[in-house]
Structure formats: C-alpha cells, structure tokens
Amino acid sequence: MKYLIATHVEFSKGIIDAAQLIAGNNNQIDYFSMTKSKGQEEAEEEVKNYLEKAQEQELVVLTDVFGGSVANLFTNFLLNDYQFQLVTGVNLPLVLTILLSADTDSKTLIKNSIEEAKKGIVYINELIEKQGGDHDDNRIIED
C-alpha cells in the first residue's frame, strides 16, 4: 500500500519527518504541498501525474482540512474515476497508527486508525480537573 500526505504548505513533509523519526523510514509514503506559489492548474497537473503513476498499487491519501482546497482537489479526482482512499484531518497519531498497523485491508486500516487518532485528542486541563487537580502522572496517563 502507498500513502500520500497532502496538505497546505510544508505541513505534510513535517508530519512525515516526525513519523519517520518515531517509526523509522518508510519509502511507501510521499507528500504533496499546496503552496502560495503553486497555482491551481499546476497543482492539478502534479496530482494527476502522481495518481496516474500510483495506479499500480493501492493508494491512501491523507489531507489536512475537510472542505479545504487540497481535500477538494483530491475529491475532484475521486469524482473523475481515479481510484484511491481519501481521508481528511491528518495528524501524527493517524499517520503513526497507519504506518505501524498490521491491517492489510485499506478500509479497515483507515477506520481503525481514525478511531485511534481520535483518542489522542485530549483537553489536558479538563482531564487534570477531573482527576482531582493533582500532578500524579499515574492518575492522568492511561495505557
């Protein structure tokens, strides 16, 4: 399976760098950055070329913002019969779960990874208050 992280500016490269620092290098993951200097036509051409080369294996595309220009760009390719899985809301826990998962079915992998990534979004101040306001790590961190 091949993965493409597609975001605004260099966010995608940063996520890959962080994921590889933690999980090791993975040559099955690429990135696409939408920058101020890259026009819509140039972005479309770049994505089209990438998708056409990637059709030989299953592809999962992770974008940053649902409804944003990058997600919309890839959605248009889905609507024009390109075959890949598209997920918005990419974050480091999502990428790590995907890269470290043993799941081979892309839909199962995506669903499980999204659920795991959601667990990593925690309002720590509220958690501390619920735990009694002390600083005992055993009361906050759950494995």
Side-chain angles (χ1 to χ4, degrees):
M1 201 169 321
K2 187 91 171 158
Y3 307 99
L4 176 66
I5 300 178
T7 66
H8 295 86
V9 198
E10 295 293 319
F11 182 47
S12 53
K13 184 171 182 343
I15 287 178
I16 291 173
D17 289 345
Q20 290 183 338
L21 177 68
I22 297 166
N25 287 337
N26 185 321
N27 61 359
Q28 293 299 314
I29 189 165
D30 295 319
Y31 72 94
F32 168 82
S33 298
M34 187 65 170
T35 63
K36 288 180 182 180
S37 63
K38 190 180 293 184
Q40 185 67 23
E41 288 180 17
E42 182 182 354
E44 287 174 4
E45 188 65 28
E46 185 178 335
V47 169
K48 180 180 177 183
N49 290 336
Y50 183 88
L51 293 175
E52 287 176 356
K53 289 178 187 172
Q55 290 300 300
E56 63 215 31
Q57 60 184 312
E58 192 164 8
L59 175 66
V60 176
V61 178
L62 307 167
T63 67
D64 50 4
V65 180
F66 175 72
S69 59
V70 178
N72 290 344
L73 172 64
F74 282 89
T75 300
N76 285 335
F77 281 98
L78 273 180
L79 294 171
N80 284 295
D81 296 325
Y82 283 82
Q83 300 297 309
F84 58 93
Q85 303 297 315
L86 179 59
V87 179
T88 62
V90 68
N91 61 29
L92 185 57
L94 177 66
V95 173
L96 287 172
T97 303
I98 284 174
L99 293 179
L100 298 174
S101 176
D103 288 323
T104 55
D105 173 65
S106 63
K107 290 181 182 181
T108 302
L109 171 70
I110 290 167
K111 289 178 182 182
N112 291 341
S113 297
I114 289 171
E115 288 307 310
E116 285 301 311
K118 286 179 184 179
K119 292 177 187 176
I121 300 172
V122 178
Y123 181 23
I124 298 296
N125 297 64
E126 184 176 78
L127 181 63
I128 290 171
E129 288 174 18
K130 286 181 180 179
Q131 297 292 331
D134 64 33
H135 299 286
D136 181 359
D137 285 348
N138 293 329
R139 297 185 68 185
I140 296 173
I141 299 172
E142 296 177 3
D143 292 328

Coordinates of all heavy atoms in Angstrom, one line a residue, residues 57-135:
Q57 N -0.7 0.3 -7.5 CA -0.9 -0.2 -6.2 C -1.9 0.6 -5.4 O -2.3 1.7 -5.8 CB 0.4 -0.3 -5.4 CG 1.1 1.1 -5.2 CD 2.4 0.9 -4.5 OE1 2.5 0.2 -3.5 NE2 3.5 1.5 -5.0
E58 N -2.5 0.0 -4.4 CA -3.5 0.7 -3.6 C -2.9 2.0 -2.9 O -1.8 2.0 -2.4 CB -4.1 -0.2 -2.5 CG -5.3 0.4 -1.9 CD -6.1 -0.7 -1.2 OE1 -5.6 -1.8 -1.0 OE2 -7.2 -0.4 -0.7
L59 N -3.7 3.1 -3.0 CA -3.2 4.4 -2.5 C -4.2 4.9 -1.5 O -5.4 4.9 -1.7 CB -3.0 5.4 -3.7 CG -2.7 6.8 -3.3 CD1 -1.3 6.9 -2.7 CD2 -2.8 7.7 -4.5
V60 N -3.6 5.4 -0.4 CA -4.4 6.1 0.6 C -3.8 7.6 0.7 O -2.6 7.8 0.9 CB -4.2 5.5 2.0 CG1 -5.0 6.3 3.1 CG2 -4.8 4.0 2.0
V61 N -4.7 8.5 0.5 CA -4.4 9.9 0.5 C -4.9 10.6 1.8 O -6.1 10.4 2.1 CB -4.9 10.7 -0.7 CG1 -4.6 12.2 -0.6 CG2 -4.4 10.1 -2.0
L62 N -4.1 11.2 2.6 CA -4.4 11.9 3.8 C -4.3 13.4 3.6 O -3.2 13.8 3.3 CB -3.6 11.4 4.9 CG -3.5 9.9 5.1 CD1 -2.4 9.5 6.1 CD2 -4.8 9.3 5.6
T63 N -5.4 14.1 3.8 CA -5.3 15.6 3.6 C -5.5 16.3 4.9 O -6.0 15.6 5.9 CB -6.3 16.1 2.5 OG1 -7.6 15.9 3.0 CG2 -6.1 15.4 1.2
D64 N -5.3 17.6 5.0 CA -5.4 18.3 6.3 C -6.8 18.7 6.6 O -7.3 18.4 7.7 CB -4.4 19.4 6.3 CG -4.4 20.4 5.1 OD1 -5.3 20.2 4.2 OD2 -3.6 21.3 5.1
V65 N -7.5 19.5 5.8 CA -8.7 20.1 6.2 C -9.9 19.7 5.3 O -9.8 19.9 4.0 CB -8.6 21.7 6.1 CG1 -9.9 22.3 6.5 CG2 -7.4 22.2 7.0
F66 N -10.9 19.1 5.9 CA -12.1 18.8 5.1 C -12.7 20.1 4.5 O -12.9 21.1 5.2 CB -13.2 18.1 6.0 CG -14.5 17.8 5.4 CD1 -14.6 16.8 4.4 CD2 -15.6 18.6 5.7 CE1 -15.8 16.6 3.8 CE2 -16.8 18.3 5.0 CZ -16.9 17.3 4.1
G67 N -13.0 20.1 3.3 CA -13.5 21.3 2.6 C -12.5 22.2 2.2 O -12.8 23.2 1.5
G68 N -11.2 22.0 2.5 CA -10.1 22.9 2.1 C -9.7 22.6 0.6 O -10.1 21.6 0.0
S69 N -8.9 23.5 0.1 CA -8.5 23.4 -1.3 C -7.8 22.1 -1.6 O -8.0 21.5 -2.7 CB -7.7 24.6 -1.7 OG -6.5 24.7 -0.9
V70 N -7.0 21.6 -0.7 CA -6.2 20.4 -1.0 C -7.2 19.2 -1.0 O -7.2 18.3 -2.0 CB -5.1 20.1 0.0 CG1 -4.4 18.8 -0.2 CG2 -4.1 21.3 0.0
A71 N -8.1 19.1 0.0 CA -9.0 18.0 0.0 C -10.0 18.1 -1.2 O -10.3 17.0 -1.8 CB -9.8 18.0 1.3
N72 N -10.4 19.3 -1.5 CA -11.3 19.4 -2.7 C -10.6 19.0 -4.0 O -11.2 18.4 -4.9 CB -11.8 20.9 -2.8 CG -12.7 21.2 -1.7 OD1 -13.3 20.3 -1.0 ND2 -13.0 22.5 -1.5
L73 N -9.3 19.3 -4.1 CA -8.5 18.9 -5.3 C -8.6 17.4 -5.5 O -8.9 16.9 -6.5 CB -7.1 19.4 -5.2 CG -6.1 19.0 -6.2 CD1 -6.4 19.5 -7.6 CD2 -4.7 19.5 -5.8
F74 N -8.3 16.7 -4.4 CA -8.3 15.2 -4.5 C -9.7 14.7 -4.6 O -9.9 13.6 -5.3 CB -7.6 14.6 -3.2 CG -6.1 14.7 -3.4 CD1 -5.4 15.8 -2.9 CD2 -5.4 13.7 -4.0 CE1 -4.0 15.9 -3.1 CE2 -4.0 13.8 -4.1 CZ -3.3 14.9 -3.7
T75 N -10.7 15.3 -4.0 CA -12.1 14.8 -4.2 C -12.5 14.9 -5.6 O -13.2 14.0 -6.1 CB -13.0 15.7 -3.3 OG1 -12.7 15.6 -1.9 CG2 -14.5 15.3 -3.5
N76 N -12.1 15.9 -6.3 CA -12.4 16.1 -7.8 C -11.8 14.9 -8.6 O -12.4 14.4 -9.5 CB -11.9 17.4 -8.3 CG -12.8 18.5 -7.9 OD1 -14.0 18.4 -7.6 ND2 -12.2 19.7 -7.9
F77 N -10.6 14.4 -8.2 CA -10.0 13.3 -8.9 C -10.8 12.0 -8.6 O -11.0 11.2 -9.5 CB -8.6 13.1 -8.5 CG -7.7 14.1 -9.3 CD1 -7.2 15.2 -8.7 CD2 -7.3 13.8 -10.6 CE1 -6.4 16.1 -9.4 CE2 -6.5 14.6 -11.3 CZ -6.0 15.8 -10.7
L78 N -11.3 11.9 -7.3 CA -12.2 10.7 -7.0 C -13.4 10.8 -7.8 O -13.9 9.7 -8.3 CB -12.6 10.8 -5.5 CG -11.6 10.1 -4.5 CD1 -12.2 10.3 -3.1 CD2 -11.4 8.7 -4.8
L79 N -14.0 11.9 -8.0 CA -15.2 12.1 -8.8 C -15.0 11.8 -10.3 O -16.0 11.6 -11.0 CB -15.8 13.5 -8.5 CG -16.3 13.7 -7.1 CD1 -16.7 15.2 -6.9 CD2 -17.5 12.8 -6.8
N80 N -13.7 11.9 -10.7 CA -13.4 11.6 -12.1 C -12.8 10.2 -12.3 O -11.9 10.0 -13.1 CB -12.5 12.7 -12.6 CG -13.3 14.0 -12.9 OD1 -14.1 14.0 -13.8 ND2 -13.0 15.0 -12.1
D81 N -13.2 9.3 -11.4 CA -12.9 7.9 -11.5 C -11.4 7.5 -11.2 O -11.0 6.4 -11.6 CB -13.3 7.4 -12.9 CG -14.8 7.4 -13.1 OD1 -15.5 7.3 -12.1 OD2 -15.2 7.7 -14.2
Y82 N -10.7 8.3 -10.5 CA -9.4 7.8 -10.1 C -9.6 7.0 -8.8 O -10.6 7.3 -8.0 CB -8.5 9.0 -9.7 CG -7.9 9.6 -11.0 CD1 -8.6 10.6 -11.7 CD2 -6.6 9.3 -11.4 CE1 -8.0 11.1 -12.9 CE2 -6.0 9.9 -12.5 CZ -6.8 10.8 -13.2 OH -6.2 11.4 -14.4
Q83 N -8.9 5.9 -8.6 CA -9.1 5.0 -7.5 C -8.1 5.2 -6.4 O -6.9 4.9 -6.6 CB -9.0 3.6 -8.1 CG -10.1 3.3 -9.1 CD -11.5 3.4 -8.6 OE1 -11.8 2.8 -7.6 NE2 -12.3 4.1 -9.3
F84 N -8.6 5.6 -5.3 CA -7.7 5.7 -4.1 C -8.7 6.0 -2.9 O -9.8 6.4 -3.1 CB -6.7 6.8 -4.2 CG -7.2 8.2 -4.5 CD1 -7.5 9.1 -3.4 CD2 -7.4 8.7 -5.8 CE1 -7.9 10.4 -3.7 CE2 -7.9 9.9 -6.0 CZ -8.2 10.8 -5.0
Q85 N -8.1 5.8 -1.7 CA -8.9 6.2 -0.5 C -8.5 7.6 0.0 O -7.3 7.9 -0.1 CB -8.6 5.2 0.6 CG -8.8 3.7 0.3 CD -10.3 3.4 0.0 OE1 -11.2 3.9 0.7 NE2 -10.5 2.7 -1.1
L86 N -9.5 8.4 0.4 CA -9.2 9.8 0.8 C -9.7 10.0 2.2 O -10.9 9.7 2.5 CB -9.9 10.7 -0.2 CG -9.7 12.2 0.0 CD1 -8.3 12.6 0.0 CD2 -10.5 13.0 -1.0
V87 N -8.8 10.5 3.0 CA -9.2 10.8 4.4 C -8.7 12.2 4.7 O -7.6 12.6 4.4 CB -8.5 9.8 5.4 CG1 -8.8 10.2 6.8 CG2 -8.8 8.4 5.1
T88 N -9.6 13.0 5.4 CA -9.2 14.4 5.8 C -8.9 14.4 7.3 O -9.2 13.5 8.0 CB -10.3 15.4 5.5 OG1 -11.4 15.1 6.2 CG2 -10.6 15.4 4.0
G89 N -8.2 15.4 7.8 CA -8.0 15.6 9.2 C -6.7 14.9 9.6 O -6.5 14.5 10.8
V90 N -5.7 14.8 8.7 CA -4.5 14.1 9.0 C -3.8 14.7 10.3 O -3.8 15.9 10.5 CB -3.5 14.1 7.8 CG1 -3.0 15.5 7.5 CG2 -2.4 13.1 8.1
N91 N -3.3 13.8 11.1 CA -2.4 14.3 12.2 C -1.4 13.2 12.5 O -1.5 12.1 11.9 CB -3.3 14.6 13.5 CG -4.1 13.4 14.0 OD1 -3.7 12.3 13.8 ND2 -5.2 13.7 14.6
L92 N -0.5 13.4 13.4 CA 0.6 12.5 13.6 C 0.1 11.2 14.1 O 0.6 10.1 13.7 CB 1.7 13.1 14.5 CG 2.9 12.3 14.7 CD1 3.6 11.9 13.4 CD2 3.9 13.0 15.6
P93 N -0.8 11.1 15.1 CA -1.3 9.8 15.6 C -1.9 9.0 14.5 O -1.8 7.8 14.5 CB -2.3 10.2 16.7 CG -1.8 11.5 17.2 CD -1.3 12.2 16.0
L94 N -2.6 9.6 13.6 CA -3.3 8.9 12.5 C -2.2 8.3 11.6 O -2.3 7.1 11.3 CB -4.1 9.9 11.7 CG -4.8 9.3 10.4 CD1 -5.8 8.2 10.8 CD2 -5.4 10.4 9.6
V95 N -1.2 9.1 11.3 CA -0.1 8.5 10.4 C 0.6 7.4 11.1 O 0.9 6.4 10.5 CB 0.8 9.7 10.0 CG1 2.0 9.1 9.2 CG2 0.1 10.7 9.1
L96 N 1.0 7.6 12.3 CA 1.7 6.5 13.1 C 0.9 5.2 13.1 O 1.4 4.2 12.9 CB 2.1 7.0 14.5 CG 3.2 8.0 14.5 CD1 3.3 8.6 15.9 CD2 4.5 7.5 14.0
T97 N -0.4 5.4 13.4 CA -1.2 4.2 13.5 C -1.3 3.5 12.2 O -1.2 2.2 12.1 CB -2.7 4.6 14.0 OG1 -2.6 5.2 15.2 CG2 -3.5 3.3 14.1
I98 N -1.4 4.2 11.1 CA -1.4 3.6 9.8 C -0.1 2.9 9.5 O -0.1 1.8 9.0 CB -1.8 4.7 8.7 CG1 -3.3 5.0 8.7 CG2 -1.3 4.2 7.3 CD1 -3.7 6.2 7.8
L99 N 1.0 3.6 9.7 CA 2.3 3.0 9.4 C 2.6 1.8 10.2 O 3.3 0.9 9.8 CB 3.4 4.1 9.5 CG 3.3 5.2 8.5 CD1 4.5 6.2 8.8 CD2 3.4 4.8 7.1
L100 N 2.2 1.8 11.5 CA 2.5 0.7 12.4 C 1.5 -0.4 12.4 O 1.7 -1.4 13.1 CB 2.8 1.2 13.8 CG 3.9 2.2 13.9 CD1 4.0 2.9 15.3 CD2 5.2 1.6 13.5
S101 N 0.4 -0.3 11.7 CA -0.7 -1.3 11.7 C -0.4 -2.5 10.9 O 0.3 -2.5 9.9 CB -2.0 -0.6 11.2 OG -3.0 -1.6 11.1
A102 N -0.9 -3.6 11.4 CA -0.8 -4.9 10.6 C -1.9 -5.1 9.7 O -1.9 -6.1 8.9 CB -0.7 -6.0 11.6
D103 N -2.9 -4.2 9.7 CA -4.1 -4.4 8.8 C -3.7 -4.3 7.4 O -2.8 -3.4 7.0 CB -5.1 -3.3 9.1 CG -5.9 -3.4 10.4 OD1 -6.2 -4.6 10.8 OD2 -6.2 -2.4 11.0
T104 N -4.2 -5.2 6.6 CA -3.9 -5.1 5.1 C -5.0 -4.6 4.3 O -4.8 -4.2 3.1 CB -3.5 -6.5 4.6 OG1 -4.5 -7.4 4.9 CG2 -2.2 -7.0 5.3
D105 N -6.2 -4.6 4.8 CA -7.4 -4.1 4.1 C -7.4 -2.6 4.4 O -7.5 -2.1 5.5 CB -8.7 -4.8 4.6 CG -9.9 -4.1 4.1 OD1 -10.1 -4.2 2.8 OD2 -10.7 -3.5 4.8
S106 N -7.4 -1.8 3.3 CA -7.3 -0.4 3.5 C -8.5 0.2 4.2 O -8.3 1.1 5.0 CB -7.1 0.3 2.1 OG -8.3 0.1 1.3
K107 N -9.7 -0.2 4.0 CA -10.9 0.3 4.7 C -10.8 0.0 6.2 O -11.1 0.9 7.0 CB -12.1 -0.2 4.0 CG -12.4 0.4 2.7 CD -13.7 -0.1 2.0 CE -13.8 0.5 0.6 NZ -15.0 0.1 0.0
T108 N -10.4 -1.1 6.5 CA -10.3 -1.5 8.0 C -9.1 -0.7 8.6 O -9.3 -0.1 9.7 CB -10.0 -3.0 8.1 OG1 -11.1 -3.7 7.5 CG2 -9.8 -3.4 9.6
L109 N -8.0 -0.6 7.9 CA -6.9 0.2 8.3 C -7.3 1.6 8.6 O -7.0 2.2 9.7 CB -5.8 0.1 7.3 CG -4.6 1.1 7.5 CD1 -3.8 0.6 8.7 CD2 -3.7 1.1 6.2
I110 N -8.0 2.2 7.7 CA -8.4 3.6 7.8 C -9.4 3.8 9.0 O -9.2 4.7 9.8 CB -9.0 4.1 6.5 CG1 -8.0 4.3 5.4 CG2 -9.8 5.5 6.7 CD1 -8.5 4.5 4.0
K111 N -10.4 3.0 9.1 CA -11.4 3.1 10.1 C -10.7 3.0 11.5 O -11.0 3.7 12.4 CB -12.5 2.1 10.0 CG -13.4 2.5 8.8 CD -14.5 1.4 8.6 CE -15.4 1.8 7.5 NZ -16.5 0.9 7.3
N112 N -9.9 1.9 11.7 CA -9.2 1.7 12.9 C -8.2 2.9 13.3 O -8.1 3.3 14.4 CB -8.4 0.4 12.9 CG -9.4 -0.8 12.9 OD1 -10.6 -0.7 13.2 ND2 -8.9 -1.9 12.5
S113 N -7.5 3.4 12.3 CA -6.6 4.4 12.5 C -7.3 5.7 12.9 O -6.8 6.5 13.8 CB -5.7 4.7 11.3 OG -5.0 3.5 11.0
I114 N -8.4 6.0 12.3 CA -9.2 7.2 12.7 C -9.6 7.1 14.1 O -9.5 8.1 14.9 CB -10.4 7.4 11.7 CG1 -9.9 7.9 10.3 CG2 -11.4 8.4 12.3 CD1 -11.0 7.9 9.2
E115 N -10.1 6.0 14.5 CA -10.6 5.8 15.9 C -9.4 6.0 16.9 O -9.5 6.6 17.9 CB -11.2 4.5 16.1 CG -12.6 4.4 15.5 CD -13.5 5.5 15.9 OE1 -13.7 5.8 17.1 OE2 -14.1 6.2 15.0
E116 N -8.2 5.4 16.6 CA -7.1 5.6 17.4 C -6.6 7.0 17.5 O -6.2 7.6 18.5 CB -5.9 4.7 17.0 CG -6.1 3.2 17.3 CD -6.3 3.0 18.8 OE1 -5.5 3.5 19.6 OE2 -7.3 2.3 19.2
A117 N -6.6 7.7 16.3 CA -6.2 9.1 16.3 C -7.1 10.0 17.1 O -6.7 10.9 17.8 CB -6.2 9.6 14.8
K118 N -8.4 9.7 17.1 CA -9.4 10.5 17.9 C -9.0 10.4 19.4 O -9.2 11.4 20.1 CB -10.8 10.0 17.7 CG -11.4 10.4 16.4 CD -12.8 9.8 16.3 CE -13.5 10.0 14.9 NZ -14.8 9.4 14.9
K119 N -8.6 9.2 19.8 CA -8.2 9.1 21.2 C -7.1 10.0 21.7 O -6.9 10.3 22.9 CB -7.8 7.6 21.5 CG -9.0 6.7 21.4 CD -8.5 5.2 21.6 CE -9.6 4.2 21.3 NZ -9.1 2.8 21.5
G120 N -6.3 10.4 20.7 CA -5.1 11.3 21.0 C -5.5 12.7 21.2 O -4.6 13.5 21.5
I121 N -6.7 13.1 20.9 CA -7.1 14.5 21.1 C -7.7 14.6 22.5 O -8.8 14.1 22.7 CB -8.1 14.9 20.0 CG1 -7.5 14.7 18.6 CG2 -8.6 16.3 20.2 CD1 -8.4 14.9 17.4
V122 N -7.0 15.3 23.3 CA -7.4 15.3 24.8 C -7.2 16.8 25.3 O -6.2 17.4 25.0 CB -6.5 14.4 25.6 CG1 -6.9 14.5 27.1 CG2 -6.7 12.9 25.1
Y123 N -8.2 17.3 26.0 CA -8.1 18.6 26.6 C -7.5 18.3 28.0 O -8.2 17.9 28.9 CB -9.5 19.2 26.7 CG -9.5 20.6 27.3 CD1 -8.4 21.4 27.4 CD2 -10.7 21.1 27.8 CE1 -8.5 22.7 27.9 CE2 -10.8 22.3 28.4 CZ -9.7 23.1 28.5 OH -9.7 24.4 29.0
I124 N -6.2 18.5 28.1 CA -5.5 18.1 29.3 C -5.9 18.9 30.6 O -6.0 18.3 31.6 CB -3.9 18.3 29.1 CG1 -3.4 17.3 28.0 CG2 -3.2 18.0 30.4 CD1 -3.6 15.9 28.2
N125 N -6.2 20.1 30.4 CA -6.7 20.9 31.6 C -7.9 20.3 32.2 O -8.0 20.1 33.4 CB -7.0 22.4 31.2 CG -5.8 23.1 30.7 OD1 -5.2 22.7 29.7 ND2 -5.3 24.1 31.4
E126 N -8.8 19.9 31.4 CA -10.1 19.3 31.8 C -9.8 17.9 32.5 O -10.4 17.6 33.5 CB -11.1 19.2 30.7 CG -12.4 18.6 31.1 CD -13.4 18.6 29.9 OE1 -13.2 17.7 29.0 OE2 -14.2 19.5 29.8
L127 N -8.9 17.2 31.9 CA -8.5 15.9 32.4 C -7.9 16.0 33.8 O -8.3 15.2 34.7 CB -7.5 15.2 31.5 CG -7.1 13.8 31.9 CD1 -8.2 12.8 31.9 CD2 -6.0 13.3 30.9
I128 N -7.0 17.0 34.0 CA -6.5 17.2 35.3 C -7.5 17.6 36.3 O -7.5 17.1 37.4 CB -5.4 18.3 35.2 CG1 -4.2 17.8 34.4 CG2 -5.0 18.8 36.6 CD1 -3.1 18.9 34.1
E129 N -8.5 18.4 35.9 CA -9.6 18.8 36.8 C -10.4 17.6 37.2 O -10.7 17.4 38.4 CB -10.5 19.9 36.2 CG -9.8 21.2 36.1 CD -10.7 22.2 35.3 OE1 -11.9 21.9 35.1 OE2 -10.1 23.2 34.8
K130 N -10.7 16.7 36.2 CA -11.5 15.5 36.5 C -10.7 14.6 37.4 O -11.4 13.8 38.2 CB -11.9 14.8 35.2 CG -13.0 15.5 34.5 CD -13.3 14.8 33.2 CE -14.4 15.5 32.4 NZ -14.7 14.8 31.2
Q131 N -9.4 14.6 37.3 CA -8.6 13.7 38.1 C -8.3 14.2 39.5 O -7.5 13.7 40.2 CB -7.3 13.4 37.4 CG -7.5 12.7 36.1 CD -8.0 11.2 36.3 OE1 -7.8 10.6 37.3 NE2 -8.8 10.8 35.3
G132 N -8.9 15.3 39.9 CA -8.7 15.9 41.2 C -7.6 17.0 41.3 O -7.3 17.5 42.3
G133 N -7.1 17.4 40.1 CA -6.2 18.6 40.1 C -4.8 18.3 40.6 O -4.0 19.3 40.7
D134 N -4.4 17.1 40.9 CA -3.0 16.9 41.3 C -2.2 16.6 40.1 O -2.6 16.4 39.0 CB -2.9 15.8 42.4 CG -3.4 14.4 42.0 OD1 -3.1 14.1 40.8 OD2 -3.9 13.7 42.8
H135 N -0.9 16.4 40.4 CA 0.1 16.2 39.3 C 0.7 14.8 39.3 O 1.8 14.6 38.9 CB 1.2 17.3 39.4 CG 0.6 18.7 39.2 ND1 0.2 19.2 38.0 CD2 0.4 19.6 40.1 CE1 -0.2 20.4 38.2 NE2 -0.1 20.7 39.5

